[in-house]
Amino acid sequence: MARVTDKPDDKPDKPRRRLPRSVREQEILDAAVRVFSKRGYRAAVVDEIAELAGISKPMVYLYLGSKEGLFVACVRRESARLVAAFREAADAGGPPEGRLWAGLAAFFGYVAEHRDSWVVLHRQAPEQGDEIAGELAAARRSVMAEVTGLVDAGIADAGPDAGGGAVRLGAQDAEFVAHALVGAADSLTDWMERHPDESPEAVTVRLMNVMWIGMRNVLAGEVWSRPEG
Amino acid sequence: MARVTDKPDDKPDKPRRRLPRSVREQEILDAAVRVFSKRGYRAAVVDEIAELAGISKPMVYLYLGSKEGLFVACVRRESARLVAAFREAADAGGPPEGRLWAGLAAFFGYVAEHRDSWVVLHRQAPEQGDEIAGELAAARRSVMAEVTGLVDAGIADAGPDAGGGAVRLGAQDAEFVAHALVGAADSLTDWMERHPDESPEAVTVRLMNVMWIGMRNVLAGEVWSRPEG
Amino acid sequence: MARVTDKPDDKPDKPRRRLPRSVREQEILDAAVRVFSKRGYRAAVVDEIAELAGISKPMVYLYLGSKEGLFVACVRRESARLVAAFREAADAGGPPEGRLWAGLAAFFGYVAEHRDSWVVLHRQAPEQGDEIAGELAAARRSVMAEVTGLVDAGIADAGPDAGGGAVRLGAQDAEFVAHALVGAADSLTDWMERHPDESPEAVTVRLMNVMWIGMRNVLAGEVWSRPEG
Amino acid sequence: MARVTDKPDDKPDKPRRRLPRSVREQEILDAAVRVFSKRGYRAAVVDEIAELAGISKPMVYLYLGSKEGLFVACVRRESARLVAAFREAADAGGPPEGRLWAGLAAFFGYVAEHRDSWVVLHRQAPEQGDEIAGELAAARRSVMAEVTGLVDAGIADAGPDAGGGAVRLGAQDAEFVAHALVGAADSLTDWMERHPDESPEAVTVRLMNVMWIGMRNVLAGEVWSRPEG
DNA sequence: CATGAATGAGGCTTCATTCAT
DNA sequence: CATGAATGAAGCCTCATTCAT
């Protein structure tokens, strides 16, 4: 016998769940990362974040304080996650070259699965206020530091083997290569989107082929210089 | 009784210049690029642009129609300028390798001198409305197309020479390398800002050393593959 | 296996006291008076009151119904206390003049010790809703009534003694003097704050010197009138 | 022949007048004083001020910056006006006693006609933020300073004539009397509202009768002291 | 041609109040 | 009895855009 008094507006959708703060907070951040990623910090609207998180706007402010605080919290969380993924993979990568490979592969894998995270960290318009600018700069620095560390180790590892004409590469070069690598990787996340058949590992192999071989050969003394004039 | 201090409008400051439309328009775009670059599209305020251009707000609307139109005009102009600089240099570069070098050097030189231009083109938050998104995508595509063309020519140029173990590289690979190059170059504009002693040419040489040598050797059959697992 | 750190709710801090309703209520009112006094009715926030009272917000609503109810309760309690202090002192003051003196001294003493109380009663912005406005008006009237009564008695006491040129003072005059006295006293509470060395009794003597002597002499026929024009 | 095309919605009420900034600014302040006076700073709503001024809200912000700025501007203007009225009258008042009389009469006259002005200056809830608190304090100090000055002059003027038992009154006493006077005057503005038949001059005479005669006699040596215990 | 004056619409934030446990 | 979780309603402020001169 079917219940007659089944409430007509029985939306199983919004049971107004009562969740503990810590859980809700994470859900809010999840929603915020999605929206900030889709629209950018300024164009993002707190209402949309709240709606996507399935709560009302005041909860966002109760838990995160302000739109700026919300954004900063997103950046911190996503930055930590990305760095953790990178470092964890690298730590299991064996020799320096393997570590760099593993780290980059983890990076491409992570970004492929959490595109929003990367967009929030690296695709925001400049100068949105001091705290935001600082937080973004810190996040980007921490990514760059990881990569620079691995490149540096790779150089040190490959360096001693270099023969007579070997080029001496130092810290500045590691930084340079790291910048190039991170920038290339960033840009390649777009490429990946248009080539869904390419796995993160395949992309990593392609990138290593171009950049690592280049670097390795430079270390080995093969120097390119401007053709003539 | 004659009034002595009669001054109808003799402010020697701000002579209320009567300029031809085309000149005015360029001045407005100059101001707009500065402001959009500093703040990003959303955070930029039309008042600030008008003030920086030395005119009143209605003039901006009279000439460019809307904030969106203003931004689109900026993107078009800056994109055209950048591509022109790139292509012009490349056209005078001689053989494919020299063309790529010249193009990249021109790029770094242009960005070093017109940072705002690059920021407007490549550092805007996503999804600011369809027309803007489309215009930005077009601008980025046109840059990418230039680079891809040169890379492709370079591959074709180096390819036939490749010996037995040579790898066959195609259009997809050129696109991949172009993405990596553009991304690396973008990221390196940041690196350049912190290394003002490095000339655009020096940066180009560094980048060619890493990426072009890598590519050349890949073409020559030196393939990197994941160490073991 | 017994859990060792089993602690159901043993926070020695904040023992979650189970207090009888009447006590709780008074504690809430204490906190409310502090906060209303510091911020004013509108700027006061219920959260702050609850926190200061050491309980949760719903308790405030359970006990006092609403912010407005809370404020009204504060006004009633503080008004009653002030009037009681005044009347008690006056009742022990002997002759009319002594009663006025004692009442005023009690007033200054009370306000010196319970500044918040006075601020809540007399320093609120106008028109915060009908009930509040009414309650405040009533409180102020009750203070005024006390003073008017004493002034009236003082006039009646001194009046009959007045000689030939004596001025006839009536109810309207008592009201006038009472207003002047209360206003002066209010303003002098500020003066007292900047002169902490002056005891409430000293302030009362000063005030009596100026106002009572003035009134007494007026009763005795010394009338001031505008110099000439 | 009557014009047929007389616009149907010809509200002579809101012709959307185009006024120069300085005029509009004053109109906004007029409206703001009314609303702040009626509701108090916190309860006042900017929309209501804008509506009363016959403009839209953004104009208020364009001209006055913020609600706080608007309030501060009100306080400054009203304070200046009141002090001007007071000082002007006093300056024409002849001897010290006449000056005090004239100043007080001007005060009561001003407040009777511009009640809002006084309410904005003296009936705001405490602690609405540092700038507001500071501005109000300054305004009140400036009023008090005027009165203190006159009282001081009055004391100096009457002092030398005092006979043997004369009491020495100093700066602190002038301040005390000024506080009492201003407080009494404030309170009496309420009394006046309920006694519309009493002219400002009449109120002034009453107040002088009580307070000035009191003070004069104190100067002459008539000291009141607490009856007995 | 040029501008000072003006506004509709929308976003961030707060707060009194209530529910579910 | 007591509270952590939650929200509707409202207020401040900004900004792209237009009008009248």
Side-chain angles (χ1 to χ4, degrees):
Chain A
M1 181 180 119
R3 284 199 295 133
V4 176
T5 47
D6 226 333
K7 277 204 285 175
D9 51 354
D10 222 352
K11 287 182 189 170
D13 210 18
K14 272 194 169 184
R16 233 24 124 239
R17 293 164 306 153
R18 204 56 92 90
L19 295 182
R21 173 169 184 148
S22 58
V23 175
R24 258 290 133 78
E25 229 167 61
Q26 293 305 313
E27 289 190 7
I28 295 175
L29 289 183
D30 292 342
V33 169
R34 290 253 304 270
V35 175
F36 282 134
S37 159
K38 185 153 90 178
R39 310 234 185 269
Y41 176 70
R42 282 298 290 242
V45 169
V46 178
D47 288 78
E48 190 182 352
I49 295 171
E51 191 180 16
L52 190 60
I55 56 171
S56 69
K57 224 181 340 174
M59 288 294 292
V60 176
Y61 285 90
L62 183 59
Y63 285 172
L64 279 311
S66 67
K67 189 185 180 185
E68 187 163 339
L70 177 56
F71 186 76
V72 167
C74 287
V75 170
R76 288 214 177 115
R77 193 184 76 170
E78 300 310 313
S79 173
R81 283 181 176 175
L82 173 58
V83 167
F86 187 94
R87 189 176 300 179
E88 220 166 86
D91 284 354
E97 197 176 289
R99 288 169 53 89
L100 183 57
W101 142 267
L104 287 180
F107 169 83
F108 284 115
Y110 182 88
V111 172
E113 254 191 298
H114 310 283
R115 186 112 238 280
D116 295 339
S117 183
W118 180 251
V119 170
V120 166
L121 293 176
H122 267 71
R123 301 272 169 99
Q124 296 301 317
E127 296 274 337
Q128 306 284 9
D130 275 356
E131 190 168 1
I132 287 185
E135 203 65 35
L136 282 175
R140 290 166 191 183
R141 259 199 311 277
S142 74
V143 169
M144 201 62 84
E146 293 295 320
V147 176
T148 304
L150 292 197
V151 170
D152 211 30
I155 289 176
D157 185 55
D161 298 8
V167 175
R168 187 115 321 183
L169 294 182
Q172 185 168 243
D173 298 275
E175 244 189 28
F176 179 94
V177 171
H179 268 82
L181 261 178
V182 170
D186 177 24
S187 180
L188 287 170
T189 61
D190 291 341
W191 186 84
M192 280 173 72
E193 276 203 315
R194 285 206 308 285
H195 297 267
D197 48 309
E198 299 262 343
S199 71
E201 287 78 14
V203 174
T204 313
V205 169
R206 281 174 175 278
L207 183 58
M208 289 292 281
N209 258 306
V210 172
M211 297 204 58
W212 188 250
I213 284 188
M215 209 185 76
R216 201 168 59 186
N217 286 309
V218 169
L219 285 170
E222 181 178 4
V223 176
W224 186 95
S225 63
R226 191 181 164 188
E228 61 260 41
Chain B
M1 183 180 102
R3 285 194 292 138
V4 176
T5 47
D6 205 346
K7 45 168 180 173
D9 50 6
D10 56 356
K11 287 181 187 170
D13 233 19
K14 266 200 174 185
R16 217 54 107 238
R17 299 158 304 159
R18 193 65 69 93
L19 294 181
R21 175 168 184 136
S22 60
V23 176
R24 256 293 138 77
E25 220 168 77
Q26 293 306 311
E27 288 188 6
I28 296 176
L29 289 183
D30 291 343
V33 168
R34 291 251 308 266
V35 175
F36 282 135
S37 160
K38 185 151 106 184
R39 310 230 186 273
Y41 176 70
R42 283 301 288 245
V45 170
V46 177
D47 287 75
E48 191 180 352
I49 294 171
E51 191 183 16
L52 190 61
I55 56 169
S56 69
K57 228 185 328 178
M59 289 293 286
V60 176
Y61 283 88
L62 182 62
Y63 282 9
L64 280 311
S66 69
K67 188 184 181 186
E68 190 163 338
L70 179 54
F71 187 76
V72 166
C74 288
V75 170
R76 287 215 179 111
R77 191 183 77 170
E78 301 309 313
S79 173
R81 284 180 175 174
L82 173 58
V83 166
F86 187 93
R87 189 174 302 178
E88 218 167 88
D91 283 354
E97 196 175 289
R99 289 168 53 88
L100 183 57
W101 183 87
L104 287 179
F107 169 84
F108 284 115
Y110 181 88
V111 171
E113 256 193 292
H114 310 283
R115 188 108 236 281
D116 295 339
S117 183
W118 180 250
V119 170
V120 166
L121 293 175
H122 266 72
R123 301 274 168 99
Q124 296 301 316
E127 294 273 335
Q128 306 284 9
D130 277 355
E131 189 171 358
I132 288 184
E135 202 65 35
L136 281 174
R140 290 168 192 180
R141 256 199 313 277
S142 73
V143 169
M144 200 64 81
E146 293 295 320
V147 176
T148 305
L150 293 195
V151 170
D152 211 29
I155 289 176
D157 186 55
D161 299 9
V167 174
R168 188 117 322 193
L169 293 181
Q172 184 167 248
D173 298 276
E175 243 190 26
F176 180 94
V177 171
H179 267 83
L181 262 177
V182 170
D186 177 22
S187 180
L188 288 170
T189 61
D190 291 341
W191 185 85
M192 280 173 72
E193 278 204 313
R194 286 208 306 287
H195 297 268
D197 47 309
E198 299 262 343
S199 71
E201 286 79 14
V203 174
T204 313
V205 169
R206 280 175 176 278
L207 183 57
M208 290 292 281
N209 258 305
V210 172
M211 296 202 60
W212 188 250
I213 285 189
M215 210 185 74
R216 201 168 59 187
N217 284 303
V218 169
L219 285 171
E222 182 179 4
V223 176
W224 186 93
S225 63
R226 194 182 163 189
E228 64 264 37
Chain C
M1 180 180 105
R3 285 195 292 138
V4 176
T5 47
D6 204 345
K7 46 168 180 175
D9 51 7
D10 56 356
K11 287 182 188 170
D13 233 19
K14 266 202 175 183
R16 217 54 106 242
R17 300 156 305 155
R18 193 65 69 96
L19 295 181
R21 174 167 184 139
S22 60
V23 175
R24 257 295 139 76
E25 220 167 77
Q26 293 306 311
E27 288 189 5
I28 296 175
L29 289 183
D30 291 343
V33 169
R34 291 250 309 264
V35 175
F36 283 134
S37 160
K38 185 153 105 185
R39 311 229 185 271
Y41 176 70
R42 283 301 290 244
V45 170
V46 178
D47 287 76
E48 189 180 355
I49 295 171
E51 190 181 17
L52 191 61
I55 57 171
S56 69
K57 229 185 328 179
M59 289 294 287
V60 176
Y61 283 88
L62 183 62
Y63 282 8
L64 278 311
S66 68
K67 187 185 181 185
E68 190 163 337
L70 178 55
F71 187 75
V72 167
C74 287
V75 170
R76 286 214 179 112
R77 190 182 78 170
E78 300 311 312
S79 173
R81 283 180 176 174
L82 174 58
V83 167
F86 188 94
R87 189 175 300 178
E88 217 167 272
D91 283 355
E97 197 176 289
R99 290 167 52 89
L100 183 57
W101 183 88
L104 287 179
F107 168 84
F108 284 114
Y110 182 86
V111 171
E113 257 193 292
H114 311 282
R115 188 110 236 280
D116 295 340
S117 182
W118 180 249
V119 171
V120 166
L121 292 174
H122 267 71
R123 300 275 168 100
Q124 296 301 316
E127 294 273 333
Q128 308 284 8
D130 278 354
E131 190 170 0
I132 287 184
E135 201 67 33
L136 281 175
R140 290 168 192 181
R141 257 199 312 277
S142 75
V143 169
M144 200 63 83
E146 292 296 320
V147 176
T148 305
L150 292 196
V151 170
D152 211 30
I155 289 175
D157 186 53
D161 299 9
V167 175
R168 190 116 321 191
L169 295 181
Q172 183 167 249
D173 299 277
E175 244 189 25
F176 179 95
V177 172
H179 268 83
L181 262 177
V182 170
D186 176 23
S187 179
L188 288 169
T189 60
D190 291 343
W191 186 85
M192 281 175 70
E193 279 203 314
R194 285 207 308 285
H195 297 268
D197 48 309
E198 299 262 343
S199 71
E201 286 79 15
V203 174
T204 314
V205 169
R206 280 175 176 278
L207 183 57
M208 288 292 281
N209 258 305
V210 173
M211 297 204 58
W212 188 249
I213 285 189
M215 211 186 72
R216 202 166 59 186
N217 284 303
V218 170
L219 284 171
E222 181 180 4
V223 177
W224 186 94
S225 64
R226 193 181 162 187
E228 62 261 39
Chain D
M1 178 182 124
R3 284 200 295 132
V4 177
T5 46
D6 227 330
K7 277 205 284 176
D9 50 355
D10 223 353
K11 287 181 188 170
D13 210 19
K14 271 194 169 185
R16 235 19 127 239
R17 293 165 306 154
R18 205 55 93 91
L19 295 182
R21 172 167 185 150
S22 57
V23 175
R24 258 290 133 78
E25 228 167 64
Q26 293 305 313
E27 289 191 7
I28 295 174
L29 289 183
D30 292 342
V33 169
R34 290 254 305 269
V35 175
F36 283 136
S37 160
K38 185 153 90 178
R39 309 236 186 268
Y41 176 70
R42 282 298 290 241
V45 169
V46 178
D47 287 80
E48 190 182 352
I49 294 171
E51 192 181 15
L52 190 60
I55 55 171
S56 69
K57 222 183 338 176
M59 288 296 290
V60 176
Y61 285 91
L62 183 60
Y63 285 173
L64 277 311
S66 68
K67 189 184 181 184
E68 187 163 338
L70 178 56
F71 187 77
V72 167
C74 287
V75 170
R76 288 212 177 116
R77 192 184 75 170
E78 300 310 312
S79 173
R81 283 181 176 175
L82 174 58
V83 166
F86 187 93
R87 189 176 300 179
E88 220 166 87
D91 283 354
E97 197 177 288
R99 288 169 53 88
L100 184 56
W101 142 267
L104 288 179
F107 169 84
F108 284 115
Y110 182 88
V111 172
E113 254 191 298
H114 310 282
R115 185 111 238 279
D116 296 340
S117 183
W118 180 251
V119 171
V120 166
L121 293 175
H122 267 71
R123 300 274 169 98
Q124 295 302 316
E127 296 273 338
Q128 307 283 11
D130 276 355
E131 189 169 1
I132 286 184
E135 203 65 35
L136 281 175
R140 290 168 190 180
R141 258 199 311 277
S142 76
V143 169
M144 200 63 82
E146 292 296 320
V147 176
T148 305
L150 292 196
V151 170
D152 211 30
I155 290 176
D157 184 56
D161 299 8
V167 175
R168 189 114 321 182
L169 294 181
Q172 185 167 245
D173 298 276
E175 244 190 28
F176 180 94
V177 172
H179 268 83
L181 262 177
V182 170
D186 176 23
S187 180
L188 287 169
T189 60
D190 291 342
W191 185 85
M192 281 174 71
E193 277 204 314
R194 285 206 307 284
H195 298 268
D197 48 309
E198 298 263 343
S199 72
E201 287 78 14
V203 174
T204 314
V205 169
R206 280 174 176 277
L207 184 57
M208 288 294 279
N209 259 306
V210 172
M211 297 204 59
W212 188 251
I213 287 189
M215 209 184 74
R216 202 168 58 186
N217 284 309
V218 170
L219 285 170
E222 181 179 3
V223 177
W224 186 94
S225 62
R226 193 182 162 184
E228 60 261 40

